[in-house]
Amino acid sequence: MNWTTLFLGLILLLNLIFAIIVVFQERKDAGSTWAWLLVLYFIPIAGFVLYLLFAQNFRRTPLFHWDSREKLRLEEAVVAQLEEIRTGDYKFQNPSSFHNRDLIYMLLNNNHAVLSETNRVDLLVDGHEKFDQLFKDIQDAREYVHVQYYIFQKDWLGQRFIDLLTEKARQGVRVRVLYDELGSRRLNNKFFQAFREAGGQAQAFFPSRLRLINMRLNYRNHRKLVIVDGRIGYVGGFNVGEEYLGLDPKFGYWRDTHLRIQGPSVFFMHCRFMLDWNQAAPDKPFHFFPELLPAQLAEGSAGVQIVTSGPDSVWEVIKDGYIKMISSAKRSIYIQTPYFIPDASMMDALRIAALSGLDVTLMIPDKPDHPFVHWATLSYIGELLKAGARVYLYENGFIHAKTLVVDEEVSSVGTANIDVRSFRLNFEVNAFVYDEVLAAKLLRCFQADIEDSRLLTLDQYRRRPYLMRIKESFSRLLSPIL
């Protein structure tokens, strides 16, 4: 009996120590802290193992390192643009950029996201359309192709993709493929064998250090980037797999949004890929910096900032960009997201906008792909409906688009969802675009999607079954760590 008492006392003492670590050392927000304290309370010892797997703090040590000479060159451009915007000397070429100069300054100051205004931005909203265009661009590549995806499936589309990249590698084109180990967990060395034999390079981000055990599995590189010859860049929501072509009967049609960019912003997309690659493959680094930033590459008139965030960032940069856009809105806010689990600051911004009489419209899937995340999403919807926002449930398959359009002139398209995971845990990348033409295209797509959606009213929401309310409440409690 004494040994049993001693053992239980030791467990309680260890649990208390672990709780102190969570509260005082990690310095997380209150919601996340309480969620982890509940886990530690109800699952002693094992809860701390889960904490080690899912709650590491990467903000202590920088993950991505620049060569000092290369970093200096980019920092010079950042400092110069910040000073010109601050003093009013910067010559905006685009009215949308000028109207959103505060947002531009914040992202430049917070993320070194240099603004370029001579970009051509094409919108891709269908999987077949996106991959047909992407494969054509890769076929025309002459120097290099750099590919980064969270999910790269080993199916018909994935095989066709790697076969094309293998062919380009045989032609002497430098080809690198970076994939997230968790998202692309079905990939193996055999899948890349012919590609590597042809001279291509493939690397997993945050690979397992021990077989079947990955202490960093909760921190996922959710970015999707493709850069072709420094001329063309792709960013958005599509991963690589048959489901993204609408071929998975579970989801049906897959509705997503991607951008194809030509112009100087491709250079900054390439900088992001270079940092991610060199972190994942320190034994195979590469460095790409032309002598001058490619401001001379004039393809169009869209202003673009390539903005990134991750668990290593001091602040939640993309979330801050979203909130700044919402708080600056004068007329309308249109959002498409597969997951809607906002923190208090994001929820307050949207609620205040709706209560102020702005047109706040949100579209989410009617069909869940992750039940707990879907139930948590629904738990937040009621607050927006009470504030006067409109909410549509997309019924024609699954909507995976991550878009925010404000006042029909500024938009954000990329990989970040409106949830805690994207804001704090995942490595994400978004293009913030200052262009009325693109904003109009996104709004037309939104209106077309409404035809395949149903409006959720406040009365309908209040009449939902009690079992659903219980699921929502439980899922919302866990939302800080979903």
Side-chain angles (χ1 to χ4, degrees), residues 154-171:
K154 192 172 61 173
D155 56 16
W156 169 81
L157 180 64
Q159 190 62 56
R160 182 184 169 197
F161 202 161
I162 201 67
D163 287 347
L164 174 59
L165 295 175
T166 302
E167 176 188 342
K168 298 307 296 184
R170 288 197 185 104
Q171 295 173 7

Side-chain angles (χ1 to χ4, degrees), residues 144-400:
Y144 59 84
V145 178
H146 289 156
V147 174
Q148 178 175 1
Y149 281 100
Y150 170 59
I151 296 175
F152 202 119
Q153 298 283 27
K154 192 172 61 173
D155 56 16
W156 169 81
L157 180 64
Q159 190 62 56
R160 182 184 169 197
F161 202 161
I162 201 67
D163 287 347
L164 174 59
L165 295 175
T166 302
E167 176 188 342
K168 298 307 296 184
R170 288 197 185 104
Q171 295 173 7
V173 174
R174 299 187 299 276
V175 184
R176 294 178 175 89
V177 176
L178 179 62
Y179 59 94
D180 183 83
E181 181 167 271
L182 180 66
S184 306
R185 54 191 173 275
R186 296 178 183 174
L187 297 185
N188 52 35
N189 287 329
K190 184 178 179 181
F191 180 76
F192 290 111
Q193 182 176 346
F195 172 68
R196 288 183 169 128
E197 290 174 353
Q201 297 182 29
Q203 182 67 41
F205 189 89
F206 276 1
S208 302
R209 292 177 177 172
L210 299 173
R211 184 172 176 81
L212 302 179
I213 299 178
N214 191 336
M215 298 298 290
R216 300 177 291 185
L217 64 86
N218 197 39
Y219 300 92
R220 308 166 190 172
N221 198 316
H222 198 237
R223 294 167 180 150
K224 297 101 178 168
L225 291 171
V226 179
I227 300 97
V228 180
D229 288 346
R231 300 179 298 104
I232 302 169
Y234 285 81
V235 61
F238 282 105
N239 287 292
V240 180
E242 293 179 0
E243 63 265 40
Y244 303 99
L245 299 179
L247 301 179
D248 187 337
K250 175 184 176 182
F251 296 108
Y253 181 71
W254 190 277
R255 169 68 180 85
D256 218 324
T257 302
H258 226 81
L259 299 181
R260 178 180 184 266
I261 301 176
Q262 296 171 274
S265 283
V266 177
F267 168 79
F268 302 105
M269 297 168 70
H270 207 172
C271 290
R272 180 70 264 169
F273 177 87
M274 182 191 69
L275 286 172
D276 284 1
W277 175 271
N278 290 348
Q279 192 284 329
D283 57 327
K284 297 175 288 186
F286 82 95
H287 301 279
F288 172 80
F289 275 81
E291 288 303 315
L292 296 173
L293 297 181
Q296 302 88 347
L297 298 176
E299 296 285 349
S301 59
V304 177
Q305 287 177 289
I306 301 300
V307 180
T308 63
S309 66
D312 62 320
S313 304
V314 177
W315 291 296
E316 297 161 16
V317 182
I318 293 178
K319 186 196 79 171
D320 290 347
Y322 285 169
I323 291 176
K324 180 65 175 176
M325 288 174 65
I326 292 166
S327 61
S328 301
K330 296 294 187 290
R331 299 184 301 277
S332 61
I333 300 165
Y334 282 77
I335 298 172
Q336 288 181 318
T337 179
Y339 319 120
F340 184 72
I341 307 177
D343 64 4
S345 60
M346 175 66 73
M347 196 67 191
D348 285 345
L350 288 169
R351 178 179 54 82
I352 291 170
L355 289 171
S356 300
L358 275 66
D359 177 8
V360 178
T361 307
L362 174 71
M363 185 176 292
I364 59 174
D366 184 51
K367 178 184 297 184
D369 63 337
H370 302 293
F372 282 99
V373 176
H374 184 69
W375 296 332
T377 292
L378 293 175
S379 74
Y380 290 93
I381 294 302
E383 295 181 40
L384 283 185
L385 292 172
K386 291 176 185 177
R390 291 183 297 166
V391 176
Y392 287 94
L393 303 179
Y394 185 80
E395 297 181 311
N396 184 33
F398 186 75
I399 188 164
H400 191 249

